[in-house]
mmCIF file of all heavy atoms in Angstrom:
data_model
loop_
_atom_site.group_PDB
_atom_site.id
_atom_site.type_symbol
_atom_site.label_atom_id
_atom_site.label_comp_id
_atom_site.label_asym_id
_atom_site.label_seq_id
_atom_site.Cartn_x
_atom_site.Cartn_y
_atom_site.Cartn_z
ATOM 1 N N LEU A 238 8.317 -0.724 -36.876
ATOM 2 C CA LEU A 238 8.300 -0.615 -35.456
ATOM 3 C C LEU A 238 7.600 0.638 -34.936
ATOM 4 O O LEU A 238 6.964 0.633 -33.991
ATOM 5 C CB LEU A 238 9.727 -0.770 -34.897
ATOM 6 C CG LEU A 238 10.400 -2.038 -35.209
ATOM 7 C CD1 LEU A 238 11.886 -2.024 -34.638
ATOM 8 C CD2 LEU A 238 9.679 -3.200 -34.431
ATOM 9 N N GLY A 325 -22.853 12.015 -21.871
ATOM 10 C CA GLY A 325 -21.766 12.943 -21.589
ATOM 11 C C GLY A 325 -21.020 12.570 -20.304
ATOM 12 O O GLY A 325 -21.515 11.789 -19.488
ATOM 13 N N PRO A 344 -18.754 -4.963 0.916
ATOM 14 C CA PRO A 344 -18.044 -5.620 2.024
ATOM 15 C C PRO A 344 -18.869 -5.717 3.297
ATOM 16 O O PRO A 344 -18.694 -6.688 3.983
ATOM 17 C CB PRO A 344 -16.784 -4.627 2.177
ATOM 18 C CG PRO A 344 -16.665 -3.982 0.865
ATOM 19 C CD PRO A 344 -18.031 -3.816 0.336
ATOM 20 N N LEU A 349 -21.607 -8.667 7.702
ATOM 21 C CA LEU A 349 -22.806 -9.091 8.392
ATOM 22 C C LEU A 349 -23.132 -10.530 8.351
ATOM 23 O O LEU A 349 -23.490 -11.155 9.323
ATOM 24 C CB LEU A 349 -23.973 -8.248 7.807
ATOM 25 C CG LEU A 349 -23.959 -6.762 8.232
ATOM 26 C CD1 LEU A 349 -24.890 -6.016 7.332
ATOM 27 C CD2 LEU A 349 -24.326 -6.520 9.699
ATOM 28 N N ILE A 374 -10.151 -9.265 10.150
ATOM 29 C CA ILE A 374 -9.449 -10.179 9.314
ATOM 30 C C ILE A 374 -9.297 -9.620 7.902
ATOM 31 O O ILE A 374 -8.124 -9.689 7.297
ATOM 32 C CB ILE A 374 -10.124 -11.562 9.225
ATOM 33 C CG1 ILE A 374 -10.131 -12.260 10.634
ATOM 34 C CG2 ILE A 374 -9.509 -12.487 8.195
ATOM 35 C CD1 ILE A 374 -11.010 -13.496 10.646
ATOM 36 N N VAL A 375 -10.398 -9.061 7.349
ATOM 37 C CA VAL A 375 -10.358 -8.542 6.028
ATOM 38 C C VAL A 375 -9.417 -7.315 5.970
ATOM 39 O O VAL A 375 -8.672 -7.162 4.918
ATOM 40 C CB VAL A 375 -11.724 -8.144 5.535
ATOM 41 C CG1 VAL A 375 -11.699 -7.330 4.283
ATOM 42 C CG2 VAL A 375 -12.531 -9.465 5.376
ATOM 43 N N ILE A 409 -35.218 -32.489 -2.169
ATOM 44 C CA ILE A 409 -36.266 -33.230 -2.964
ATOM 45 C C ILE A 409 -36.575 -34.579 -2.274
ATOM 46 O O ILE A 409 -37.720 -34.991 -2.111
ATOM 47 C CB ILE A 409 -35.828 -33.461 -4.378
ATOM 48 C CG1 ILE A 409 -35.760 -32.080 -5.083
ATOM 49 C CG2 ILE A 409 -36.787 -34.404 -5.129
ATOM 50 C CD1 ILE A 409 -35.189 -32.160 -6.528
ATOM 51 N N GLY A 479 -30.725 -21.259 -11.619
ATOM 52 C CA GLY A 479 -30.186 -21.871 -10.367
ATOM 53 C C GLY A 479 -30.743 -21.290 -9.156
ATOM 54 O O GLY A 479 -31.104 -22.097 -8.207
ATOM 55 N N ALA A 503 -30.940 -17.856 7.237
ATOM 56 C CA ALA A 503 -31.814 -19.010 6.904
ATOM 57 C C ALA A 503 -31.140 -20.128 6.337
ATOM 58 O O ALA A 503 -31.581 -21.353 6.334
ATOM 59 C CB ALA A 503 -32.948 -18.497 5.993
ATOM 60 N N PRO A 566 -1.183 1.311 -1.245
ATOM 61 C CA PRO A 566 -2.499 1.931 -0.945
ATOM 62 C C PRO A 566 -3.168 1.475 0.387
ATOM 63 O O PRO A 566 -4.370 1.472 0.446
ATOM 64 C CB PRO A 566 -3.285 1.496 -2.168
ATOM 65 C CG PRO A 566 -2.700 0.188 -2.557
ATOM 66 C CD PRO A 566 -1.267 0.301 -2.224
ATOM 67 N N VAL A 575 -12.549 1.379 8.318
ATOM 68 C CA VAL A 575 -13.196 2.207 9.260
ATOM 69 C C VAL A 575 -14.666 2.522 8.834
ATOM 70 O O VAL A 575 -15.577 2.449 9.627
ATOM 71 C CB VAL A 575 -12.459 3.592 9.343
ATOM 72 C CG1 VAL A 575 -13.178 4.582 10.252
ATOM 73 C CG2 VAL A 575 -11.043 3.341 10.021
ATOM 74 N N LEU A 581 -21.734 -2.655 11.918
ATOM 75 C CA LEU A 581 -22.209 -2.941 13.281
ATOM 76 C C LEU A 581 -23.458 -2.340 13.716
ATOM 77 O O LEU A 581 -24.094 -2.782 14.700
ATOM 78 C CB LEU A 581 -21.103 -2.531 14.290
ATOM 79 C CG LEU A 581 -19.707 -3.124 14.099
ATOM 80 C CD1 LEU A 581 -18.698 -2.445 15.098
ATOM 81 C CD2 LEU A 581 -19.736 -4.630 14.428
ATOM 82 N N PHE A 612 -30.274 3.365 -31.039
ATOM 83 C CA PHE A 612 -31.496 3.691 -31.782
ATOM 84 C C PHE A 612 -31.474 5.093 -32.461
ATOM 85 O O PHE A 612 -31.799 5.309 -33.614
ATOM 86 C CB PHE A 612 -32.757 3.509 -30.935
ATOM 87 C CG PHE A 612 -34.048 3.585 -31.722
ATOM 88 C CD1 PHE A 612 -34.502 2.524 -32.442
ATOM 89 C CD2 PHE A 612 -34.786 4.771 -31.700
ATOM 90 C CE1 PHE A 612 -35.745 2.580 -33.172
ATOM 91 C CE2 PHE A 612 -35.953 4.866 -32.448
ATOM 92 C CZ PHE A 612 -36.414 3.782 -33.192
ATOM 93 N N ILE A 632 -38.688 -1.564 -22.107
ATOM 94 C CA ILE A 632 -39.304 -2.513 -21.159
ATOM 95 C C ILE A 632 -38.318 -2.757 -19.983
ATOM 96 O O ILE A 632 -38.682 -2.762 -18.842
ATOM 97 C CB ILE A 632 -39.683 -3.845 -21.844
ATOM 98 C CG1 ILE A 632 -40.729 -3.631 -22.871
ATOM 99 C CG2 ILE A 632 -40.063 -4.893 -20.739
ATOM 100 C CD1 ILE A 632 -41.037 -4.910 -23.697
ATOM 101 N N ASP A 693 -25.177 -6.193 -37.957
ATOM 102 C CA ASP A 693 -25.628 -7.448 -37.300
ATOM 103 C C ASP A 693 -25.808 -8.571 -38.349
ATOM 104 O O ASP A 693 -26.322 -8.337 -39.456
ATOM 105 C CB ASP A 693 -26.886 -7.205 -36.567
ATOM 106 C CG ASP A 693 -26.681 -6.508 -35.253
ATOM 107 O OD1 ASP A 693 -25.704 -6.900 -34.526
ATOM 108 O OD2 ASP A 693 -27.412 -5.573 -34.913
#
Side-chain angles (χ1 to χ4, degrees):
L238 293 177
L349 289 166
I374 294 173
V375 169
I409 294 174
V575 173
L581 297 173
F612 189 79
I632 295 173
D693 281 315

